[in-house]
Amino acid sequence: MSSCTCHHHHEAERGTRWVCLITLVTMATEILAGWLFGSMALMADGWHMAGHAGAMGVAWFAYVYMRTHRGDRRFVFGPGKINALAGFVSALGLGLVSVFMIVESAHRLVAPTSIAFTEAMVVAVLGLVVNIASAWLLRDREHASHDTDQNLRAAYLHVLADALTSVLAIAALAGGKFWGLTRLDPIMGVVGAVVVGKWAIALTRDTAAILLDMRAPEHVSATVRQRLESTGASIRDLALWYVGPQEMAASVCLAAPTAAPPETYTDIVRAVPEVAFVRVEVHNLPCPGEKDHDH
């Protein structure tokens, strides 16, 4: 594991830990204030924050688990896939939130309910401030972290989803309070649900691809292929797949007129920054199967 990857995991773990703690404090404050002041809006947002805290807890747990189980021999390619698994679980959670928002918004379009606009706007503004601070803690510091770290991306999307719904809620509540547009609130709910649903589908697709060992991006395969072929070897088979955030495994079968020891080719492949695990099979030309085929 490279020092760069270790640094990334440390930063991501610290960010998710802070966001989880901030969310828990906000949740407890809103539920307590809602109980003391008799505001259902405050209590509802507090319980919403409880689900948000659960998602952040899953993300935090994934980083702690990867750190504490690094080197555990029960994991053939390390515990890195817990990262994609946590992202997949969060994606399913986002999808359920999207469905709930659509159902609830449709119900309120058909049967409007009274809204305490002032209290609800206070709650929405508080939630927006918390989510902006959380998004800053989970931002993409390395400009590629959200492409390879699906756990961090999932946590970030949870925060963005909440920030988006807060902005839409503030706009809808302002429309209702100042211009009497009471149906704007459920309409904005549907808009937010569609956006959150699209994020959930994209995250589910990307994390499932990693969990199912789909091949890594072509540019990494091209780099490995180019370095091996520069030694005069002929590649018979090459597979690269993600085993964790910013970590890939490589399986190579190659042949050469005068083959070097497998360790030589292993070092060449491992020199590619994204590759953490390497398995190399080497044959002298012609390969046994090819020789039989010629006869």
Side-chain angles (χ1 to χ4, degrees):
M1 189 178 187
S2 68
S3 60
C4 179
T5 304
C6 282
H7 176 71
H8 162 76
H9 286 186
H10 176 72
E11 291 290 330
E13 181 183 336
R14 185 173 62 177
T16 53
R17 181 176 65 242
W18 273 111
V19 171
C20 187
L21 295 176
I22 290 171
T23 306
L24 283 171
V25 171
T26 306
M27 176 200 73
T29 301
E30 288 186 342
I31 292 176
L32 180 61
W35 179 67
L36 289 175
F37 302 126
S39 170
M40 286 304 298
L42 270 174
M43 289 191 72
D45 202 65
W47 288 116
H48 167 75
M49 279 286 182
H52 184 53
M56 292 302 110
V58 169
W60 181 16
F61 168 79
Y63 288 117
V64 172
Y65 191 90
M66 281 193 295
R67 174 170 53 78
T68 55
H69 288 75
R70 181 70 60 183
D72 189 332
R73 294 180 62 82
R74 292 176 298 171
F75 298 99
V76 177
F77 295 109
K81 278 200 174 182
I82 191 72
N83 180 286
L85 183 59
F88 185 79
V89 172
S90 289
L92 295 181
L94 274 178
L96 291 176
V97 167
S98 173
V99 172
F100 173 77
M101 288 171 66
I102 289 178
V103 172
E104 186 65 20
S105 297
H107 175 71
R108 293 195 179 196
L109 275 172
V110 175
T113 58
S114 60
I115 302 174
F117 290 107
T118 302
E119 287 182 340
M121 285 182 71
V122 170
V123 173
V125 170
L126 175 63
L128 180 60
V129 171
V130 169
N131 287 314
I132 289 175
S134 299
W136 184 83
L137 287 169
L138 300 174
R139 69 192 185 280
D140 191 352
R141 294 177 176 83
E142 299 170 9
H143 306 292
S145 299
H146 291 177
D147 292 334
T148 56
D149 187 341
Q150 302 302 330
N151 188 35
L152 184 62
R153 180 185 167 199
Y156 188 69
L157 285 182
H158 265 286
V159 170
L160 281 190
D162 275 7
L164 172 68
T165 54
S166 295
V167 170
L168 293 176
I170 291 170
L173 292 168
K177 179 179 175 62
F178 298 112
W179 297 289
L181 303 174
T182 55
R183 290 184 183 275
L184 193 57
D185 185 75
I187 291 173
M188 287 295 191
V190 172
V191 172
V194 171
V195 175
V196 172
K198 290 184 67 175
W199 290 346
I201 291 171
L203 185 58
T204 303
R205 184 183 60 237
D206 292 346
T207 52
I210 295 173
L211 292 172
L212 295 174
D213 290 338
M214 287 183 69
R215 288 179 182 263
E218 183 58 33
H219 72 275
V220 182
S221 297
T223 301
V224 173
R225 186 178 295 276
Q226 182 183 27
R227 293 189 182 189
L228 289 174
E229 289 180 341
S230 68
T231 67
S234 174
I235 297 176
R236 293 296 190 263
D237 186 44
L238 170 61
L240 280 158
W241 66 98
Y242 279 107
V243 293
Q246 301 178 327
E247 289 183 324
M248 297 180 190
S251 176
V252 186
C253 178
L254 53 83
T258 306
E263 293 77 13
T264 301
Y265 302 107
T266 298
D267 292 341
I268 292 173
V269 178
R270 192 166 285 162
V272 178
E274 294 90 343
V275 179
F277 301 91
V278 184
R279 175 183 175 276
V280 175
E281 183 179 339
V282 183
H283 297 282
N284 288 313
L285 279 175
C287 294
E290 296 169 342
K291 188 175 181 180
D292 295 341
H293 179 74
D294 292 341
H295 286 288

